[in-house]
């Protein structure tokens, strides 16, 4: 399609609609699971949302890499979009940190006027949580190495560095899963459990999402989708990954360390 | 006035398009020359700083957890009201 302007007027697509329905069915399914016990609706919603995500982003890659629609102007718009999205995620996590500080700065008499509450055996922040911090900070270094390698057209090192980043992301998830299973307290153990597992749980979900994004970039890198000057998909993944790292640093300092 | 506005917009968009393209080319060139070796820097940080840090933390966490399991005894069970909250029918 030839046009005398640098903008991308997208073709009609069913994915925005299926995304909306998928998200509605997924969240409604979550409510049904919590209150009525059946998980079916949630699974259907999650499948619908996942298929939509794969289809929609597959279409974006096709439009950009294979059809050449992503001019500098279009990429600029995508930059704004990613920045705004990450900002909204900052607001999301801000709420859970507010909840944590609301309960921990002035512990009520019902939990023993102490934080951690009476009877709670908090995790030692200098064992696995410290390892998790080292893992995520290191992944920030490896992804920066990958980015510079892409810019310098060093394909071999870019693959190595991005691969290491994905591995570190998976290692973090495995460590957190072990911590969750091994923890002496559960989500049902007073507001401590609630704030701990909701905040770290949503963070873990974002790590999984970020790792998936990075893995997609890894396979796109192998498939020669990126050039040394055009690799916005990778940049967006890197921004998201740094955000996930920063959230962890706040979690570590406030909840794991100060809150123990 | 509408014609003047359209002409002005067209001139603005082509100028900004050209200058942004030139600017990004400059940035690209600058990035290429000034940051050459920057990938090397982060490769060094990865293997010289991050690697040993992770290795140390792995060792520290492993020995710490083993020690914890060895001497930690299960505390006396106290049925505190604020713990083990069960507000949904599907839990145990």
């Amino acid at each position: 399609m030839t046009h005398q302007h640098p903008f991308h007027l997208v073709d009609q697509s069913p994915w925005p609609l299926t995304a909306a329905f998928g998200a509605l069915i997924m969240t409604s399914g979550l409510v049904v699971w919590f209150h009525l016990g059946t998980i079916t609706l949630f699974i259907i919603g999650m499948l619908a949302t996942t298929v939509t995500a794969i289809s929609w982003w597959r279409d974006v890659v096709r439009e950009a890499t294979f059809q050449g629609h992503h001019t500098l102007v279009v990429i600029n718009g995508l930059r704004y979009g990613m920045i705004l999205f990450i900002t909204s995620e900052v607001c999301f996590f801000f709420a859970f940190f507010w909840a944590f500080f609301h309960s921990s700065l002035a512990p009520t008499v019902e939990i023993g006027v102490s934080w951690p509450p009476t009877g709670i055996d908090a995790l030692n922040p200098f064992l696995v949580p410290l390892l998790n911090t080292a893992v995520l900070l290191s992944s920030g270094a490896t992804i920066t190495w990958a980015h510079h390698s892409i810019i310098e057209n060093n394909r071999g090192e870019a693959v190595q560095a991005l691969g290491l980043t994905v591995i570190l992301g998976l290692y973090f998830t495995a460590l957190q899963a072990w911590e969750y299973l091994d923890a002496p307290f559960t989500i049902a153990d007073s507001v401590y459990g609630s704030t701990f597992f909701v905040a770290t749980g949503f963070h873990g979900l974002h790590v999984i999402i970020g790792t998936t994004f990075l893995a997609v970039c890894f396979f796109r890198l192998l498939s020669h989708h990126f050039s040394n000057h055009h690799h916005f998909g990778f940049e967006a993944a890197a921004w998201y990954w740094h955000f996930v790292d920063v959230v962890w640093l706040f979690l570590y300092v406030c909840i794991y360390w100060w809150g123990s | 006035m509408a014609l003047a506005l359209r002409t002005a917009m067209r001139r603005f968009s082509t100028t900004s398009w050209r200058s942004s393209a030139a600017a990004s080319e400059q940035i690209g060139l600058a990035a290429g020359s000034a940051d050459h070796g920057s990938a090397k820097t982060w490769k060094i940080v990865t293997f010289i700083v991050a690697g040993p840090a992770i290795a140390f933390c792995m060792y520290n966490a492993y020995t710490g957890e083993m020690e914890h399991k060895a001497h930690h005894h299960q505390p006396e069970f106290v049925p505190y009201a604020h713990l083990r909250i069960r507000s949904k029918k599907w839990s145990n």
Side-chain angles (χ1 to χ4, degrees):
Chain A
M1 175 161 299
T2 54
H3 47 78
Q4 296 294 332
H5 61 80
F7 304 102
H8 184 200
L9 301 176
V10 294
D11 293 324
Q12 289 192 324
S13 163
W15 310 128
L17 190 65
T18 62
F21 277 116
L24 176 65
I25 294 168
M26 193 166 80
T27 47
S28 306
L30 213 53
V31 173
V32 165
W33 183 30
F34 288 168
H35 292 273
L36 301 174
T38 51
I39 201 174
T40 322
L41 199 64
F42 172 71
I43 297 291
I44 293 168
M46 204 170 69
L47 274 168
T49 310
T50 306
V51 167
T52 299
I54 292 168
S55 307
W56 196 340
W57 281 318
R58 175 211 60 192
D59 283 354
V60 174
V61 169
R62 285 174 174 176
E63 290 160 3
T65 307
F66 303 125
Q67 295 179 343
H69 285 288
H70 282 199
T71 59
L72 286 174
V73 169
V74 171
I75 292 172
N76 213 42
L78 292 171
R79 283 187 204 282
Y80 279 122
M82 194 65 194
I83 288 167
L84 286 170
F85 174 64
I86 291 176
T87 307
S88 77
E89 295 257 74
V90 169
C91 298
F92 181 75
F93 277 98
F94 183 80
F96 295 117
F97 276 97
W98 184 333
F100 168 73
F101 283 116
H102 173 92
S103 299
S104 61
L105 283 168
T108 62
V109 67
E110 284 87 350
I111 59 172
V113 199
S114 69
W115 194 273
T118 314
I120 292 281
D121 196 9
L123 300 173
N124 184 340
F126 302 113
L127 298 181
V128 174
L130 184 65
L131 173 57
N132 273 338
T133 307
V135 167
L136 281 187
L137 284 174
S138 302
S139 71
T142 54
I143 200 172
T144 310
W145 173 23
H147 193 188
H148 284 280
S149 299
I150 289 172
I151 290 169
E152 291 171 21
N153 262 322
N154 191 337
R155 204 180 132 69
E157 284 201 4
V159 169
Q160 204 187 123
L162 184 52
L164 259 177
T165 312
V166 172
I167 287 168
L168 287 169
L170 291 169
Y171 187 34
F172 177 93
T173 303
L175 285 167
Q176 269 300 64
W178 182 86
E179 276 274 89
Y180 269 32
L181 291 170
D182 193 67
F185 55 87
T186 71
I187 197 172
D189 286 324
S190 83
V191 70
Y192 182 89
S194 303
T195 50
F196 180 88
F197 284 106
V198 169
T200 61
F202 271 119
H203 174 260
L205 182 62
H206 284 70
V207 170
I208 291 166
I209 291 167
T211 308
T212 308
F213 197 171
L214 289 169
V216 168
C217 285
F218 180 76
F219 288 110
R220 291 189 67 202
L221 177 64
L222 286 178
S223 307
H224 300 268
H225 285 200
F226 301 133
S227 77
N228 70 321
H229 59 274
H230 186 162
H231 46 261
F232 178 69
F234 175 86
E235 287 183 62
W239 291 352
Y240 195 76
W241 192 250
H242 287 305
F243 156 74
V244 158
D245 190 4
V246 169
V247 171
W248 170 259
L249 293 174
F250 277 97
L251 282 175
Y252 181 72
V253 168
C254 301
I255 298 182
Y256 283 90
W257 196 351
W258 177 83
S260 68
Chain B
M1 205 207 70
L3 179 65
L5 197 66
R6 245 182 281 135
T7 329
M9 282 228 58
R10 211 175 292 131
R11 212 174 289 137
F12 171 74
S13 59
T14 47
T15 332
S16 65
W17 171 250
R18 238 181 269 128
S19 63
S20 74
S24 52
E25 204 190 291
Q26 279 183 344
I27 292 167
L29 279 173
S33 54
D35 286 357
H36 183 74
S38 205
K40 194 172 173 66
T41 307
W42 288 101
K43 185 177 179 180
I44 290 167
V45 167
T46 298
F47 290 110
I48 305 296
V49 179
I54 290 177
F56 168 73
C57 287
M58 280 171 82
Y59 170 77
N60 175 62
Y62 183 76
T63 50
E65 289 291 343
M66 290 293 109
E67 210 184 304
H68 180 81
K69 277 194 186 355
H71 73 69
H72 182 259
H73 68 278
Q74 190 88 342
E76 192 76 36
F77 176 72
V78 181
Y80 290 116
H82 63 282
L83 303 181
R84 298 173 316 118
I85 296 170
R86 297 289 186 267
S87 57
K88 302 289 181 295
K89 288 194 291 280
W90 43 259
S91 54
N92 53 315

